[in-house]
Amino acid sequence: MRNAKLMVGAFYNPHLGRELAVATGIDHLAMADPPAASDAWWPAIGGRYTLLLHDYLGQLSEPLDERSIQRARALADLYRSPWVAEHFQCLHTEDGRYNLNYVFPPLYTEEFLDRFVRNACALKARLDQPLVMENIPGFFDVKASQMPEPLWLHRFFEATGAGFLLDLPHVWLQAHYHDMAAERWLAEFPLEHVVELHVAGVEDDHDLAGPWIAPAEPSDEMLAFAAHAVSRCPRARAITFDAFSPSLTAEVLFRSVERIRGAL
Amino acid sequence: MTRLSSDRAVQDDVIRALADAPYRASADWQRRGLADPGRVERYARFLARHFYYERIVHFFKYSRALARVTDRAPEAILKSPAFDALLPTLVLGSRETAGAVARLVTAHVAAGGAPVPYLADLLRYEEAMMVVEAGPRVWRDADGGGGGGSPKGVPAGPGERYRPETVEGTVLLELAFDLPAVLPKLLQPWTAVPQAPERPTSLLVARSPHGRVTVAKSDESVAAVIELADGKRTLEELAAGAGVQAAELRQTLQGLVDLGAVRFSTGS
């Protein structure tokens, strides 16, 4: 059953600040970057929206350092964010030499589970808001993984008490590239921990020779998938149109939020 | 499949394979048999285009603002055969790759022949920003917040033991136009192309260990310090070489350390 107080929102795209500052029908904005000093629309945005901290804080395969923790605390305070989001990602090497600059999942192993549980608990203890963690898709399987992603996530959330930020296109893509029905794959995930959901469009990518996340409107299929997912997430409080790109247009953003709201 | 010492080491190996095309093609990687090679290659190419899209949009934002007169969007090179030809050589985040990609952008934008007098200076500036940003970076401070082990400011007291060293990748630009005077105007709404005053301008571009790129106006004494600070000369030797008083040198060095252009090594 859908939570009647579910907020429907989008990401704050600074190039759309003028339109967002006067928009209606958007309950919240997720913040991927801190507001720029030159952003003339930020005061109006900050004054009228619930803001969700969704920045890059660090990868929890390693402990966050004090500077990163203080930055997370300062941003959560600035936004008055009801929760703080991070990703299940491990995108740069430990020595800092190689960096993918794009969310990339860890190996689903006991060692990485232990690392993420330990470092998420340490971060949670330093925040004044709940921590939520977002699932990340893999385009290929790494043979060193020891368990399926949903089982790894179940164990993480049980061990940490963190909330789940369920990214639905990520689930949909995983299912697509493993030739599974998205609803069947979704049922494996720990939906009882979901606090927020992400919905977005996917488009064919030339390099991948298949679909991937894009700053585009969600399809009717994705919206139906979102409605199905929301009905199985009893603790969900927000659903966010997950598009953050200089190429995103105001028309796509507003129509997507309206269609998400209509689909629920 | 070859075993590595820990799961974290395996993860690092996968990240390196995605970031480093020559390594991905090597027998070392391929014999590990960690993942489907076709899928890894496709995903690596996707990541490469994403990685440099983000950097081109950020560092060439002024050229993007001028695209309506140059008719040359900088990021268009990412879909060009020239970029595809670079793919087998790319190492994401390296200075060499940043330079190669930036040169594709500057050649593409310059070829438009737009009547913007300072366009050549602007493209050199943007290329320098992108290249300076590249290179390994510190992602997290050491426990206790000590950083990389070098003093963060100019050491007090006798300078014999401490030897300033220009950080690798720091760039001095000598420009014919005063770009800092026009850059903010390019990002505001305009109808006629904003013009830059034609006067010689020296800029220093440097990067902090955490990857923050900073630009500052330079002068002769700054240029001399950047040139002479080799990690071997003491503060006194550097002051003599740059032709400045020790007190003035300390002030200059403090500014350069803050920018990330100079660090101190201990001579002991």
Side-chain angles (χ1 to χ4, degrees):
Chain A
M1 178 173 296
R2 185 193 151 189
N3 183 338
K5 292 181 180 172
L6 192 70
M7 298 190 298
V8 182
F11 268 72
Y12 180 51
N13 283 263
H15 67 286
L16 304 179
R18 178 192 301 271
E19 293 87 345
L20 286 165
V22 295
T24 56
I26 295 179
D27 298 323
H28 68 273
L29 292 174
M31 299 293 293
D33 281 332
S38 58
D39 184 351
W41 303 105
W42 164 245
I45 296 294
R48 68 180 302 220
Y49 286 107
T50 297
L51 301 174
L52 308 181
L53 172 52
H54 196 91
D55 210 309
Y56 175 85
L57 307 177
Q59 61 183 23
L60 289 174
S61 49
E62 282 77 47
L64 293 200
D65 61 11
E66 187 60 27
R67 188 176 54 90
S68 301
I69 291 170
Q70 291 304 332
R71 180 174 178 275
R73 288 181 56 83
L75 288 173
D77 188 47
L78 173 68
Y79 302 152
R80 300 185 299 279
S81 184
W83 53 82
V84 171
E86 243 312 339
H87 307 80
F88 290 109
Q89 64 189 355
C90 184
L91 54 88
H92 64 78
T93 54
E94 249 185 319
D95 64 4
R97 191 168 167 205
Y98 298 101
N99 161 34
L100 301 179
N101 195 43
Y102 193 79
V103 287
F104 186 68
L107 297 173
Y108 298 117
T109 66
E110 296 287 349
E111 180 188 321
F112 268 99
L113 181 61
D114 179 61
R115 283 170 168 266
F116 272 80
V117 167
R118 191 165 4 105
N119 297 327
C121 286
L123 175 59
K124 263 184 74 189
R126 298 292 308 279
L127 295 172
D128 297 327
Q129 301 81 10
L131 175 67
V132 303
M133 294 288 291
E134 179 180 347
N135 57 306
I136 296 302
F139 181 68
F140 55 86
D141 293 326
V142 182
K143 289 172 187 164
S145 277
Q146 296 164 345
M147 65 188 96
E149 178 195 7
L151 174 59
W152 194 92
L153 295 182
H154 268 286
R155 291 180 57 189
F156 172 86
F157 289 118
E158 289 299 324
T160 61
F164 187 7
L165 198 172
L166 173 63
D167 190 295
L168 288 169
H170 292 177
V171 173
W172 187 93
L173 287 167
Q174 287 275 98
H176 174 85
Y177 284 113
H178 289 82
D179 204 19
M180 281 189 295
E183 285 79 3
R184 204 184 99 214
W185 181 235
L186 177 72
E188 302 290 320
F189 283 76
L191 303 182
E192 67 276 20
H193 295 288
V194 172
V195 172
E196 183 185 354
L197 299 95
H198 277 180
V199 180
V202 296
E203 286 182 345
D204 274 354
D205 181 88
H206 175 74
D207 288 310
L208 301 180
W212 200 253
I213 305 118
E217 277 189 64
S219 64
D220 289 343
E221 179 192 354
M222 190 65 76
L223 291 174
F225 186 43
H228 168 81
V230 166
S231 72
R232 281 156 179 77
C233 299
R235 292 174 52 206
R237 293 173 57 189
I239 185 164
T240 307
F241 173 53
D242 181 12
F244 178 68
S245 169
S247 64
L248 181 69
T249 65
E251 185 184 18
V252 167
L253 187 150
F254 292 128
R255 199 164 55 224
S256 296
V257 171
E258 187 181 344
R259 290 180 63 225
I260 290 169
R261 195 182 289 281
L264 300 179
Chain B
M1 191 166 76
T2 308
R3 301 296 301 179
L4 287 168
S5 57
S6 70
D7 293 346
R8 189 66 181 82
V10 175
Q11 179 85 10
D12 276 4
D13 204 38
V14 175
I15 292 170
R16 181 181 176 190
L18 289 168
D20 180 344
Y23 178 65
R24 196 162 61 246
S26 72
D28 272 357
W29 162 253
Q30 291 183 357
R31 81 163 66 94
R32 296 201 196 288
L34 281 168
D36 176 87
R39 286 213 169 192
V40 171
E41 184 61 34
R42 289 214 299 272
Y43 198 60
R45 290 175 177 235
F46 164 81
L47 289 174
R49 256 181 263 275
H50 177 270
F51 191 99
Y52 288 104
Y53 173 81
E54 292 231 324
R55 276 155 180 79
I56 291 170
V57 165
H58 180 68
F59 291 114
F60 286 85
K61 56 179 172 284
Y62 304 108
S63 289
R64 287 188 95 221
L66 283 168
R68 61 187 224 242
V69 291
T70 63
D71 200 26
R72 298 267 167 160
E75 66 272 22
I77 64 106
L78 293 170
K79 293 182 178 171
S80 70
F83 185 81
D84 285 350
L86 281 183
L87 283 168
T89 67
L90 293 187
V91 180
L92 304 188
S94 76
R95 288 206 179 90
E96 293 75 16
T97 298
V101 174
R103 283 191 293 278
L104 287 183
V105 176
T106 57
H108 167 71
V109 176
V116 180
Y118 54 87
L119 185 60
D121 270 4
L122 178 65
L123 291 172
R124 282 181 59 218
Y125 170 85
E126 292 176 318
E127 178 181 351
M129 295 282 284
M130 184 160 149
V131 174
V132 168
E133 189 263 351
R137 56 180 282 192
V138 174
W139 284 88
R140 55 185 300 274
D141 292 331
D143 292 338
S150 299
K152 288 182 176 174
V154 181
E160 288 174 12
R161 193 169 159 241
Y162 296 100
R163 295 152 196 268
E165 180 179 13
T166 298
V167 173
E168 185 186 356
T170 299
V171 169
L172 273 169
L173 282 176
E174 299 295 338
L175 305 173
F177 290 84
D178 186 353
L179 284 186
V182 75
L183 296 180
K185 296 175 187 168
L186 288 172
L187 300 183
Q188 300 298 320
W190 47 265
T191 45
V193 176
Q195 294 302 314
E198 188 171 0
R199 58 175 166 250
T201 302
S202 300
L203 298 179
L204 176 71
V205 189
R207 194 194 73 157
S208 76
H210 294 96
R212 182 173 52 87
V213 180
T214 311
V215 181
K217 283 208 171 184
S218 177
D219 57 25
E220 284 182 5
S221 65
V222 167
V225 170
I226 291 295
E227 187 181 334
L228 295 171
D230 57 2
K232 296 172 185 163
R233 291 179 171 89
T234 62
L235 293 181
E236 291 72 16
E237 290 167 341
L238 197 55
V244 296
Q245 299 296 314
E248 186 186 344
L249 176 69
R250 281 181 179 278
Q251 196 172 5
T252 300
L253 281 173
Q254 185 60 62
L256 294 174
V257 168
D258 291 345
L259 288 173
V262 167
R263 64 169 167 247
F264 281 87
S265 54
T266 52
S268 57

